[in-house]
Amino acid sequence: MIFKKGKISINKIFSEISGLKDEKKIIKISEFFLNVPYNKDSISETAEHEKSLTIDFEQVDCMTLLEYVEALRLSNDFESFINNLKSVRYINGIISFQNRRHFFSDWDSIPTVNNIKNEIEASYFKTVFKELNKIDEKKKWIDGLPVNFGKIKYIPKKNIPYIVDKFESASYCGFYTSKEGLDVTHVGIIIRKKDSLILRHASSIKSKVVDEPFIEYAIDKEGIIVYKPLFK
């Protein structure tokens, strides 16, 4: 295992969330990552290097931020965090390049979250069929990974204003793209603060984890895919 803790104390995280419940845990945990530098290659993207679990709190990309937050909110100590991170990042918790959830829609198989497509009226969604990872007949987005046929349901941007009141205090959001072979181009955490929504995310533009107004960020995107965390 590779563990780079950076300036984040995992023991302090567990201490501060011990009395919190549900969405409040996600909000508090994600606060620890604010201003952590962005790096699109924060963990290995090549098959030959995907042999051990990598935890890097010194720098994150948009997906690893969500993985860390989801795994931490399910844990109460470092050992359970390791096990939960394996389960979030890899299918069946088995560490390998092939088992890694490379696409946001792969989160459909994580039992601790629920795609809100199951809870919101179907008329708000659009369904598309995509060959994930395929750019064209010769190129792939991720070398060494097969092409998978996927059925993607997303909320077009025109429908977002009608369903924002359905979002929980904290939800995981991906921004849909019509590009060949991809389901989303970016992910983050939607957090409700009083009557407004913010997007907490690892921003390549700001080069760190930041908060931005969600509606303003989403306005020029094609749509969203949202997962709601499940609580006991």
Side-chain angles (χ1 to χ4, degrees), residues 85-208:
L85 182 59
K86 289 178 183 178
S87 296
V88 170
R89 184 175 290 168
Y90 300 101
I91 297 170
N92 297 322
I94 299 172
I95 300 173
S96 76
F97 183 79
Q98 298 294 332
N99 283 337
R100 187 171 163 200
R101 291 185 171 93
H102 292 273
F103 296 93
F104 192 51
S105 53
D106 292 337
W107 277 41
D108 277 348
S109 63
I110 297 179
T112 56
V113 299
N114 186 42
N115 192 318
I116 65 168
K117 68 184 181 183
N118 302 316
E119 302 180 8
I120 294 178
E121 187 178 328
S123 61
Y124 290 116
F125 290 87
K126 183 175 182 179
T127 301
V128 295
F129 297 89
K130 307 198 79 171
E131 293 180 278
L132 294 175
N133 199 37
K134 180 180 178 180
I135 298 176
D136 55 36
E137 295 303 321
K138 296 182 179 180
K139 296 180 181 179
K140 294 179 180 179
W141 286 103
I142 304 173
D143 291 333
L145 197 69
V147 173
N148 288 317
F149 187 76
K151 180 180 178 181
I152 309 297
K153 292 184 72 172
Y154 72 97
I155 303 167
K157 67 177 180 180
K158 67 179 182 179
N159 292 338
I160 293 175
Y162 301 106
I163 51 87
V164 290
D165 61 331
K166 304 290 186 182
F167 295 159
E168 303 293 335
S169 297
S171 300
Y172 303 117
C173 177
F175 294 92
Y176 172 78
T177 179
S178 58
K179 288 182 179 180
E180 293 294 331
L182 294 179
D183 52 2
V184 303
T185 54
H186 190 56
V187 298
I189 305 170
I190 301 173
I191 295 174
R192 186 177 297 281
K193 286 191 173 181
K194 295 183 179 180
D195 295 327
S196 64
L197 294 173
I198 66 166
L199 177 69
R200 182 164 292 164
H201 65 126
S203 169
S204 59
I205 296 174
K206 302 291 180 64
S207 299
K208 61 182 179 180

Side-chain angles (χ1 to χ4, degrees), residues 8-102:
I8 294 177
S9 168
I10 197 165
N11 290 330
K12 187 175 181 181
I13 290 178
F14 290 132
S15 174
E16 294 201 13
I17 67 173
S18 63
L20 300 179
K21 293 184 178 181
D22 302 341
E23 295 99 334
K24 291 182 179 180
K25 275 191 175 183
I26 294 174
I27 295 170
K28 174 56 70 174
I29 292 167
S30 60
E31 284 178 359
F32 280 87
F33 288 90
L34 285 171
N35 296 313
V36 168
Y38 170 87
N39 184 343
K40 69 181 181 68
D41 297 318
S42 62
I43 64 173
S44 169
E45 282 287 357
T46 55
E48 62 267 25
H49 294 138
E50 198 92 4
K51 297 178 180 178
S52 62
L53 184 68
T54 298
I55 303 169
D56 189 352
F57 288 170
E58 293 180 356
Q59 53 191 1
V60 296
D61 59 38
C62 64
M63 182 62 82
T64 56
L65 172 64
L66 268 61
E67 291 173 347
Y68 295 144
V69 171
E70 175 63 8
L72 283 164
R73 71 103 177 171
L74 298 169
S75 310
N76 51 30
D77 56 30
F78 188 67
E79 183 176 356
S80 59
F81 167 60
I82 292 172
N83 291 329
N84 284 318
L85 182 59
K86 289 178 183 178
S87 296
V88 170
R89 184 175 290 168
Y90 300 101
I91 297 170
N92 297 322
I94 299 172
I95 300 173
S96 76
F97 183 79
Q98 298 294 332
N99 283 337
R100 187 171 163 200
R101 291 185 171 93
H102 292 273

